[in-house]
Structure formats: C-alpha cells, structure tokens
Short mmCIF file of all heavy atoms in Angstrom, two decimals:
data_model
loop_
_atom_site.label_atom_id
_atom_site.label_comp_id
_atom_site.label_asym_id
_atom_site.label_seq_id
_atom_site.Cartn_x
_atom_site.Cartn_y
_atom_site.Cartn_z
N ILE A 1338 19.04 -1.36 -19.47
CA ILE A 1338 18.21 -2.56 -19.20
C ILE A 1338 17.97 -2.71 -17.71
O ILE A 1338 16.85 -2.90 -17.21
CB ILE A 1338 18.89 -3.81 -19.79
CG1 ILE A 1338 18.80 -3.81 -21.31
CG2 ILE A 1338 18.22 -5.07 -19.23
CD1 ILE A 1338 19.64 -4.87 -21.97
N PHE A 1339 19.06 -2.63 -16.92
CA PHE A 1339 18.92 -2.90 -15.51
C PHE A 1339 18.42 -1.70 -14.71
O PHE A 1339 17.86 -1.83 -13.63
CB PHE A 1339 20.22 -3.46 -14.94
CG PHE A 1339 20.51 -4.82 -15.53
CD1 PHE A 1339 21.43 -4.99 -16.55
CD2 PHE A 1339 19.82 -5.93 -15.05
CE1 PHE A 1339 21.63 -6.23 -17.09
CE2 PHE A 1339 20.06 -7.19 -15.60
CZ PHE A 1339 20.97 -7.34 -16.62
N SER A 1340 18.54 -0.52 -15.32
CA SER A 1340 17.85 0.65 -14.77
C SER A 1340 16.35 0.48 -14.86
O SER A 1340 15.59 0.80 -13.92
CB SER A 1340 18.30 1.90 -15.50
OG SER A 1340 17.52 3.05 -15.11
N ILE A 1341 15.88 -0.04 -16.02
CA ILE A 1341 14.46 -0.25 -16.21
C ILE A 1341 13.94 -1.28 -15.23
O ILE A 1341 12.86 -1.10 -14.67
CB ILE A 1341 14.18 -0.70 -17.66
CG1 ILE A 1341 14.43 0.43 -18.62
CG2 ILE A 1341 12.77 -1.26 -17.84
CD1 ILE A 1341 14.36 0.05 -20.11
N VAL A 1342 14.69 -2.33 -15.00
CA VAL A 1342 14.27 -3.38 -14.03
C VAL A 1342 14.00 -2.75 -12.66
O VAL A 1342 12.94 -2.97 -12.06
CB VAL A 1342 15.31 -4.49 -13.92
CG1 VAL A 1342 14.99 -5.45 -12.79
CG2 VAL A 1342 15.42 -5.26 -15.26
N SER A 1343 14.97 -1.99 -12.16
CA SER A 1343 14.80 -1.41 -10.84
C SER A 1343 13.73 -0.38 -10.78
O SER A 1343 12.93 -0.33 -9.85
CB SER A 1343 16.16 -0.79 -10.39
OG SER A 1343 16.02 -0.21 -9.11
N GLU A 1344 13.65 0.46 -11.83
CA GLU A 1344 12.62 1.48 -11.82
C GLU A 1344 11.24 0.88 -11.94
O GLU A 1344 10.28 1.39 -11.34
CB GLU A 1344 12.89 2.46 -12.98
CG GLU A 1344 11.97 3.65 -13.02
CD GLU A 1344 12.10 4.45 -14.29
OE1 GLU A 1344 13.06 4.23 -15.04
OE2 GLU A 1344 11.20 5.31 -14.52
N HIS A 1345 11.11 -0.19 -12.71
CA HIS A 1345 9.82 -0.87 -12.87
C HIS A 1345 9.31 -1.32 -11.52
O HIS A 1345 8.11 -1.09 -11.18
CB HIS A 1345 10.01 -2.03 -13.82
CG HIS A 1345 8.81 -2.94 -13.92
ND1 HIS A 1345 7.85 -2.75 -14.86
CD2 HIS A 1345 8.42 -4.01 -13.17
CE1 HIS A 1345 6.89 -3.67 -14.71
NE2 HIS A 1345 7.23 -4.45 -13.67
N ILE A 1346 10.15 -1.96 -10.74
CA ILE A 1346 9.69 -2.46 -9.40
C ILE A 1346 9.41 -1.28 -8.47
O ILE A 1346 8.48 -1.35 -7.69
CB ILE A 1346 10.78 -3.39 -8.87
CG1 ILE A 1346 10.89 -4.63 -9.74
CG2 ILE A 1346 10.43 -3.83 -7.41
CD1 ILE A 1346 12.03 -5.54 -9.40
N GLY A 1347 10.20 -0.20 -8.61
CA GLY A 1347 9.92 0.98 -7.81
C GLY A 1347 8.54 1.53 -8.10
O GLY A 1347 7.79 1.93 -7.18
N PHE A 1348 8.16 1.62 -9.39
CA PHE A 1348 6.83 2.11 -9.72
C PHE A 1348 5.76 1.18 -9.19
O PHE A 1348 4.69 1.65 -8.75
CB PHE A 1348 6.71 2.22 -11.28
CG PHE A 1348 6.86 3.60 -11.76
CD1 PHE A 1348 8.09 4.04 -12.26
CD2 PHE A 1348 5.82 4.47 -11.81
CE1 PHE A 1348 8.27 5.34 -12.73
CE2 PHE A 1348 5.97 5.77 -12.31
CZ PHE A 1348 7.19 6.19 -12.77
N SER A 1349 6.01 -0.13 -9.22
CA SER A 1349 4.99 -1.04 -8.68
C SER A 1349 4.79 -0.83 -7.19
O SER A 1349 3.64 -0.81 -6.73
CB SER A 1349 5.47 -2.51 -8.95
OG SER A 1349 5.41 -2.80 -10.34
N VAL A 1350 5.86 -0.67 -6.44
CA VAL A 1350 5.72 -0.43 -5.00
C VAL A 1350 5.03 0.90 -4.76
O VAL A 1350 4.17 1.00 -3.87
CB VAL A 1350 7.13 -0.49 -4.33
CG1 VAL A 1350 7.02 -0.05 -2.87
CG2 VAL A 1350 7.70 -1.92 -4.41
N TRP A 1351 5.37 1.91 -5.55
CA TRP A 1351 4.77 3.23 -5.38
C TRP A 1351 3.26 3.12 -5.65
O TRP A 1351 2.45 3.84 -5.02
CB TRP A 1351 5.43 4.17 -6.40
CG TRP A 1351 5.14 5.61 -6.18
CD1 TRP A 1351 4.82 6.26 -5.00
CD2 TRP A 1351 5.18 6.65 -7.15
NE1 TRP A 1351 4.65 7.60 -5.21
CE2 TRP A 1351 4.85 7.87 -6.53
CE3 TRP A 1351 5.43 6.66 -8.53
CZ2 TRP A 1351 4.79 9.06 -7.20
CZ3 TRP A 1351 5.39 7.87 -9.20
CH2 TRP A 1351 5.09 9.07 -8.56
N SER A 1352 2.88 2.23 -6.59
CA SER A 1352 1.47 2.15 -6.99
C SER A 1352 0.67 1.13 -6.20
O SER A 1352 -0.51 0.88 -6.54
CB SER A 1352 1.38 1.80 -8.50
OG SER A 1352 2.17 2.66 -9.28
N LEU A 1353 1.26 0.50 -5.19
CA LEU A 1353 0.58 -0.53 -4.47
C LEU A 1353 -0.79 -0.14 -3.98
O LEU A 1353 -1.76 -0.94 -4.00
CB LEU A 1353 1.43 -1.00 -3.29
CG LEU A 1353 2.51 -2.07 -3.59
CD1 LEU A 1353 3.44 -2.19 -2.40
CD2 LEU A 1353 1.85 -3.42 -3.92
N TRP A 1354 -0.92 1.12 -3.52
CA TRP A 1354 -2.18 1.51 -2.88
C TRP A 1354 -3.33 1.71 -3.89
O TRP A 1354 -4.48 1.68 -3.52
CB TRP A 1354 -1.98 2.73 -2.01
CG TRP A 1354 -1.27 2.35 -0.76
CD1 TRP A 1354 0.06 2.37 -0.53
CD2 TRP A 1354 -1.88 1.77 0.38
NE1 TRP A 1354 0.33 1.85 0.70
CE2 TRP A 1354 -0.85 1.46 1.31
CE3 TRP A 1354 -3.20 1.47 0.77
CZ2 TRP A 1354 -1.08 0.90 2.55
CZ3 TRP A 1354 -3.47 0.93 2.00
CH2 TRP A 1354 -2.39 0.62 2.86
N SER A 1355 -2.98 1.86 -5.18
CA SER A 1355 -4.03 1.92 -6.18
C SER A 1355 -4.72 0.55 -6.25
O SER A 1355 -5.88 0.47 -6.70
CB SER A 1355 -3.47 2.30 -7.53
OG SER A 1355 -2.61 1.24 -8.08
N VAL A 1356 -4.04 -0.50 -5.86
CA VAL A 1356 -4.55 -1.85 -5.84
C VAL A 1356 -5.15 -2.17 -4.46
O VAL A 1356 -6.24 -2.73 -4.36
CB VAL A 1356 -3.49 -2.88 -6.19
CG1 VAL A 1356 -4.02 -4.28 -6.10
CG2 VAL A 1356 -2.93 -2.64 -7.61
N LEU A 1357 -4.42 -1.87 -3.44
CA LEU A 1357 -4.83 -2.30 -2.09
C LEU A 1357 -6.16 -1.71 -1.67
O LEU A 1357 -6.90 -2.37 -0.93
CB LEU A 1357 -3.74 -1.91 -1.09
CG LEU A 1357 -2.37 -2.61 -1.29
CD1 LEU A 1357 -1.34 -2.09 -0.30
CD2 LEU A 1357 -2.53 -4.12 -1.18
N VAL A 1358 -6.47 -0.45 -2.09
CA VAL A 1358 -7.78 0.10 -1.72
C VAL A 1358 -8.93 -0.74 -2.30
O VAL A 1358 -10.04 -0.68 -1.72
CB VAL A 1358 -7.88 1.57 -2.16
CG1 VAL A 1358 -6.90 2.45 -1.39
CG2 VAL A 1358 -7.69 1.74 -3.65
N LEU A 1359 -8.69 -1.45 -3.42
CA LEU A 1359 -9.77 -2.27 -3.96
C LEU A 1359 -10.07 -3.47 -3.08
O LEU A 1359 -11.17 -4.03 -3.15
CB LEU A 1359 -9.38 -2.75 -5.37
CG LEU A 1359 -9.10 -1.67 -6.44
CD1 LEU A 1359 -8.74 -2.33 -7.75
CD2 LEU A 1359 -10.36 -0.76 -6.58
N PHE A 1360 -9.12 -3.86 -2.24
CA PHE A 1360 -9.34 -4.96 -1.30
C PHE A 1360 -10.09 -4.53 -0.05
O PHE A 1360 -10.53 -5.43 0.71
CB PHE A 1360 -7.97 -5.55 -0.87
CG PHE A 1360 -7.28 -6.36 -1.93
CD1 PHE A 1360 -6.54 -5.79 -2.94
CD2 PHE A 1360 -7.29 -7.76 -1.86
CE1 PHE A 1360 -5.92 -6.54 -3.88
CE2 PHE A 1360 -6.62 -8.56 -2.78
CZ PHE A 1360 -5.94 -7.92 -3.83
N MET A 1361 -10.20 -3.26 0.19
CA MET A 1361 -10.66 -2.80 1.49
C MET A 1361 -12.13 -2.57 1.48
O MET A 1361 -12.64 -1.51 1.09
CB MET A 1361 -9.89 -1.52 1.89
CG MET A 1361 -8.41 -1.79 2.10
SD MET A 1361 -7.48 -0.35 2.50
CE MET A 1361 -5.84 -1.14 2.78
N GLY A 1362 -12.86 -3.60 1.86
CA GLY A 1362 -14.32 -3.54 1.89
C GLY A 1362 -14.83 -2.90 3.18
O GLY A 1362 -14.05 -2.28 3.93
N PRO A 1363 -16.11 -3.07 3.51
CA PRO A 1363 -16.71 -2.42 4.68
C PRO A 1363 -16.02 -2.80 5.99
O PRO A 1363 -16.03 -2.01 6.94
CB PRO A 1363 -18.14 -2.95 4.67
CG PRO A 1363 -18.41 -3.32 3.24
CD PRO A 1363 -17.10 -3.83 2.70
N GLU A 1364 -15.38 -3.98 6.04
CA GLU A 1364 -14.75 -4.41 7.31
C GLU A 1364 -13.55 -3.54 7.68
O GLU A 1364 -13.13 -3.56 8.85
CB GLU A 1364 -14.30 -5.86 7.19
CG GLU A 1364 -13.19 -6.11 6.18
CD GLU A 1364 -13.71 -6.40 4.77
OE1 GLU A 1364 -14.90 -6.03 4.50
OE2 GLU A 1364 -12.95 -6.95 3.95
N TYR A 1365 -13.04 -2.76 6.74
CA TYR A 1365 -11.94 -1.85 7.06
C TYR A 1365 -12.44 -0.50 7.57
O TYR A 1365 -11.66 0.31 8.09
CB TYR A 1365 -11.08 -1.63 5.80
CG TYR A 1365 -10.15 -2.82 5.54
CD1 TYR A 1365 -10.60 -3.90 4.80
CD2 TYR A 1365 -8.84 -2.83 5.97
CE1 TYR A 1365 -9.77 -4.97 4.51
CE2 TYR A 1365 -8.01 -3.90 5.72
CZ TYR A 1365 -8.48 -4.98 4.96
OH TYR A 1365 -7.66 -6.05 4.72
N GLY A 1366 -13.73 -0.19 7.33
CA GLY A 1366 -14.30 1.04 7.84
C GLY A 1366 -13.74 2.33 7.18
O GLY A 1366 -13.64 3.34 7.85
N ILE A 1367 -13.41 2.30 5.90
CA ILE A 1367 -12.85 3.42 5.22
C ILE A 1367 -13.78 3.86 4.11
O ILE A 1367 -14.16 3.07 3.24
CB ILE A 1367 -11.46 3.09 4.59
CG1 ILE A 1367 -10.54 2.53 5.66
CG2 ILE A 1367 -10.83 4.32 3.96
CD1 ILE A 1367 -9.24 1.99 5.11
N ASP A 1368 -14.20 5.17 4.12
CA ASP A 1368 -15.06 5.67 3.07
C ASP A 1368 -14.27 6.03 1.83
O ASP A 1368 -13.01 6.02 1.84
CB ASP A 1368 -15.86 6.88 3.58
CG ASP A 1368 -14.98 8.04 3.97
OD1 ASP A 1368 -13.76 8.04 3.67
OD2 ASP A 1368 -15.49 8.99 4.60
N PRO A 1369 -14.92 6.34 0.70
CA PRO A 1369 -14.21 6.67 -0.54
C PRO A 1369 -13.24 7.83 -0.39
O PRO A 1369 -12.12 7.81 -0.94
CB PRO A 1369 -15.34 7.04 -1.54
CG PRO A 1369 -16.50 6.21 -1.02
CD PRO A 1369 -16.38 6.22 0.48
N ALA A 1370 -13.59 8.84 0.38
CA ALA A 1370 -12.69 9.96 0.60
C ALA A 1370 -11.40 9.53 1.28
O ALA A 1370 -10.30 9.97 0.91
CB ALA A 1370 -13.35 11.07 1.42
N GLY A 1371 -11.55 8.62 2.25
CA GLY A 1371 -10.36 8.08 2.93
C GLY A 1371 -9.47 7.28 2.00
O GLY A 1371 -8.26 7.30 2.12
N LYS A 1372 -10.09 6.54 1.06
CA LYS A 1372 -9.30 5.77 0.11
C LYS A 1372 -8.59 6.66 -0.87
O LYS A 1372 -7.42 6.38 -1.21
CB LYS A 1372 -10.24 4.79 -0.64
CG LYS A 1372 -10.81 3.70 0.22
CD LYS A 1372 -11.72 2.75 -0.57
CE LYS A 1372 -12.26 1.65 0.31
NZ LYS A 1372 -13.14 0.72 -0.46
N PHE A 1373 -9.22 7.74 -1.33
CA PHE A 1373 -8.51 8.68 -2.22
C PHE A 1373 -7.30 9.30 -1.49
O PHE A 1373 -6.26 9.55 -2.12
CB PHE A 1373 -9.44 9.78 -2.71
CG PHE A 1373 -10.26 9.43 -3.89
CD1 PHE A 1373 -11.66 9.33 -3.82
CD2 PHE A 1373 -9.65 9.08 -5.13
CE1 PHE A 1373 -12.41 8.97 -4.93
CE2 PHE A 1373 -10.40 8.72 -6.25
CZ PHE A 1373 -11.80 8.64 -6.13
N LEU A 1374 -7.45 9.52 -0.21
CA LEU A 1374 -6.32 10.05 0.57
C LEU A 1374 -5.18 9.07 0.68
O LEU A 1374 -4.01 9.42 0.57
CB LEU A 1374 -6.80 10.46 1.96
CG LEU A 1374 -5.94 11.47 2.74
CD1 LEU A 1374 -5.75 12.75 1.94
CD2 LEU A 1374 -6.55 11.75 4.07
N LEU A 1375 -5.53 7.77 0.80
CA LEU A 1375 -4.47 6.74 0.84
C LEU A 1375 -3.71 6.64 -0.46
O LEU A 1375 -2.52 6.28 -0.47
CB LEU A 1375 -5.12 5.37 1.19
CG LEU A 1375 -5.52 5.17 2.64
CD1 LEU A 1375 -6.30 3.84 2.78
CD2 LEU A 1375 -4.32 5.17 3.58
N THR A 1376 -4.35 6.93 -1.56
CA THR A 1376 -3.64 6.90 -2.83
C THR A 1376 -2.92 8.20 -3.14
O THR A 1376 -1.93 8.23 -3.88
CB THR A 1376 -4.60 6.57 -4.02
OG1 THR A 1376 -5.70 7.51 -4.01
CG2 THR A 1376 -5.15 5.17 -3.89
N ALA A 1377 -3.38 9.28 -2.53
CA ALA A 1377 -2.68 10.57 -2.74
C ALA A 1377 -1.41 10.65 -1.95
O ALA A 1377 -0.42 11.27 -2.42
CB ALA A 1377 -3.62 11.74 -2.34
N VAL A 1378 -1.33 10.07 -0.77
CA VAL A 1378 -0.21 10.19 0.11
C VAL A 1378 1.08 9.61 -0.55
O VAL A 1378 2.15 10.26 -0.50
CB VAL A 1378 -0.47 9.53 1.49
CG1 VAL A 1378 0.79 9.35 2.27
CG2 VAL A 1378 -1.45 10.42 2.27
N PRO A 1379 1.07 8.41 -1.10
CA PRO A 1379 2.30 7.93 -1.76
C PRO A 1379 2.75 8.83 -2.87
O PRO A 1379 3.97 9.03 -3.08
CB PRO A 1379 1.91 6.55 -2.32
CG PRO A 1379 0.74 6.15 -1.48
CD PRO A 1379 0.02 7.41 -1.17
N ALA A 1380 1.81 9.38 -3.62
CA ALA A 1380 2.17 10.31 -4.73
C ALA A 1380 2.90 11.55 -4.16
O ALA A 1380 3.86 12.02 -4.73
CB ALA A 1380 0.95 10.70 -5.53
N ALA A 1381 2.39 12.07 -3.03
CA ALA A 1381 2.98 13.25 -2.44
C ALA A 1381 4.40 12.96 -1.91
O ALA A 1381 5.34 13.71 -2.19
CB ALA A 1381 2.09 13.78 -1.29
#
C-alpha cells in the first residue's frame, strides 16, 4: 500500500512536463520540437 503511495507521487513528478508544456504559449518562445525535447529529457 505505502509503496504504491510513494511510487504514485514519483510518477506524477516524473510526468510533470507532459502537463507543463501545455501551459507554455508563445510568450515562452518554444516551438513544438523544443517541447518534445522537454518531455523526452525526464524520460531519459
């Protein structure tokens, strides 16, 4: 039970950038290729 709790939060932190890139509009100056790189780096 408590292994699941900790691992669940770990996965959420690991996956943060799958969400954060959706917040990054033109004001961040990042093209789609740059966003895919931001999501690839945590996975690596």
Side-chain angles (χ1 to χ4, degrees):
I1338 289 170
F1339 293 100
S1340 172
I1341 290 173
V1342 170
S1343 179
E1344 187 190 346
H1345 172 92
I1346 296 172
F1348 260 95
S1349 291
V1350 172
W1351 193 28
S1352 307
L1353 275 169
W1354 285 93
S1355 70
V1356 176
L1357 296 177
V1358 293
L1359 300 180
F1360 285 79
M1361 295 179 176
E1364 66 273 18
Y1365 284 85
I1367 306 172
D1368 62 11
K1372 292 181 180 180
F1373 276 117
L1374 200 56
L1375 284 172
T1376 55
V1378 166

